[in-house]
Amino acid sequence: MRTVGLKVPATTANIGPGFDCLGMALDVFNEFTVEEVESGLKISGCAKEYDCEDNLFYRAMVYAFKKMNYDCKGYNINFKCDIPVCRGLGSSASLIVGGIAAAQILAGGKCRNEKILKWGTEIEGHPDNIAPAVFGGLCISGMNDGNVFASRVNVADFFEIMVLIPDFELPTSLARSVLPEKILFTDAVFNISRSLMLIESMKNGDFRMLKTSIADKMHQPYRGKLIPGYENIAGELNKSPEHCFFISGAGPSIIILRDKKASRNTNLYCEAIPANWKCRCVAICEAGFSITDMGW
Ligand code: HSE
């Protein structure tokens, strides 16, 4: 029977002002192996409650099989996951992209990135985590009449990345439910100008411009209130010209970017971070998902 192995990077979405349209792949990975068998479904390497047909990876496989008119068989799926769950680091996107890519290979075809982007966005509802999980790097993405577009931006090597991971989950549905239905015209202009400047600063390696442009009025003011400790961390980091930060995706993780030219002052923000949160240094993952095994 056929087997396939896949490795999918974590992603951080929004990146301040780019709500639902900016995302970046990080070098933290979920790995999946899928073996096609006669019948049945067995999912290992995850909590027992996810060993069922409702598993997002499996649902993404079935979604793709239907699109390709491929008859679903039985599957043994194994997860080796390093992306924290429900922390705003693209763990759902990794399951969706992995599931669709596995289905494409098992159905006998090649991985088609445009289809993974489109079908993945149909499942997730927005493309900002899916695009970097597929293409890697920093991606601009959007939707247009049922189609999805994505474009990669080259990022200069001028900052270090630290992820602060709280010890609690924040479901995206809850984080989206606190957002207002309408925003002020002036706030929209604020975010558009920052998003455009942010892309320029990323390309040019201009940390001062990045710090100015990473501000947001669309989601962080509302979601920050769902993250105990956020205000303290924000207050501390706002004082430093060498650091900037944003809520990763829907939260609750927070990403800190530090100017590579900054002096080494490791105590600067440590005091504001709750002791039970994890801190992890990561880097941009330049590649999207990869196929690690294709046995027949
Ligand atoms: N752009 C999405 C949001 C990312 O902020 O809700 C989380 O899925």
Side-chain angles (χ1 to χ4, degrees), residues 12-14 18-22 88 90 92 124 126-129 172-173 175-176 179 219 223 247-251:
T12 179
N14 300 329
F19 182 73
D20 272 3
C21 58
L22 281 182
S92 301
E124 175 123 303
H126 36 83
D128 48 342
N129 280 307
T172 299
S173 50
R176 287 184 90 89
L179 303 180
H219 70 111
R223 289 171 165 174
I247 295 176
S248 184

Side-chain angles (χ1 to χ4, degrees), residues 9-85:
T11 52
T12 179
N14 300 329
I15 317 195
F19 182 73
D20 272 3
C21 58
L22 281 182
M24 191 161 72
L26 303 174
D27 65 348
V28 178
F29 300 93
N30 279 351
E31 292 181 59
F32 311 103
T33 53
V34 184
E35 183 189 14
E36 194 169 66
V37 292
E38 291 290 325
S39 61
L41 175 67
K42 196 164 177 297
I43 306 176
S44 54
C46 57
K48 232 181 161 33
E49 72 219 65
Y50 297 119
D51 178 12
C52 63
E53 290 190 356
D54 200 36
N55 184 294
L56 185 54
F57 183 96
Y58 180 70
R59 279 199 280 129
M61 279 179 64
V62 172
Y63 191 86
F65 283 147
K66 280 201 181 126
K67 294 272 188 189
M68 295 181 288
N69 293 318
Y70 181 81
D71 286 337
C72 205
K73 315 278 186 312
Y75 297 95
N76 293 332
I77 303 169
N78 181 253
F79 288 5
K80 209 171 126 202
C81 293
D82 195 25
I83 306 175
V85 176

Side-chain angles (χ1 to χ4, degrees), residues 116-129:
I116 301 175
L117 177 67
K118 185 172 189 308
W119 297 344
T121 302
E122 286 168 8
I123 297 171
E124 175 123 303
H126 36 83
D128 48 342
N129 280 307

Side-chain angles (χ1 to χ4, degrees), residues 93-284:
S94 85
L95 297 175
I96 293 169
V97 167
I100 297 172
Q104 286 188 332
I105 296 165
L106 291 167
K110 286 205 297 202
C111 279
R112 298 197 183 281
N113 288 349
E114 295 309 321
K115 290 271 185 251
I116 301 175
L117 177 67
K118 185 172 189 308
W119 297 344
T121 302
E122 286 168 8
I123 297 171
E124 175 123 303
H126 36 83
D128 48 342
N129 280 307
I130 300 288
V134 174
F135 300 109
L138 172 64
C139 292
I140 302 171
S141 57
M143 295 189 272
N144 184 24
D145 281 342
N147 289 315
V148 186
F149 58 86
S151 178
R152 260 193 73 148
V153 177
N154 286 329
V155 179
D157 179 21
F158 70 113
F159 57 77
E160 294 165 334
I161 310 172
M162 181 183 273
V163 193
L164 311 183
I165 308 163
D167 61 347
F168 58 90
E169 298 185 355
L170 178 51
T172 299
S173 50
L174 172 61
R176 287 184 90 89
S177 75
V178 300
L179 303 180
E181 272 179 33
K182 293 181 179 168
I183 60 163
L184 286 174
F185 199 81
T186 47
D187 287 352
V189 173
F190 181 98
N191 270 52
I192 293 167
S193 62
R194 266 61 179 186
S195 301
L196 294 170
M197 275 204 304
L198 186 132
I199 296 299
E200 278 304 291
S201 65
M202 288 284 194
K203 286 201 279 198
N204 299 333
D206 184 337
F207 198 87
R208 249 180 82 187
M209 190 194 267
L210 176 65
K211 175 137 180 121
T212 308
S213 58
I214 213 148
D216 158 67
K217 290 200 176 183
M218 279 180 73
H219 70 111
Q220 294 187 167
Y222 309 97
R223 289 171 165 174
K225 298 190 177 84
L226 302 174
I227 308 170
Y230 174 76
E231 288 302 329
N232 285 346
I233 295 167
E236 194 79 3
L237 291 169
N238 277 332
K239 288 186 230 150
S240 165
E242 298 171 333
H243 296 81
C244 60
F245 68 97
F246 58 91
I247 295 176
S248 184
S253 294
I254 294 169
I255 302 268
I256 298 178
L257 305 180
R258 183 160 89 153
D259 189 349
K260 277 201 168 169
K261 293 199 288 299
S263 53
R264 296 253 143 213
N265 184 356
T266 46
N267 290 326
L268 182 64
Y269 44 84
C270 288
E271 280 170 25
I273 301 168
N276 43 353
W277 290 22
K278 289 198 178 108
C279 300
R280 186 161 173 178
C281 289
V282 298
I284 298 178

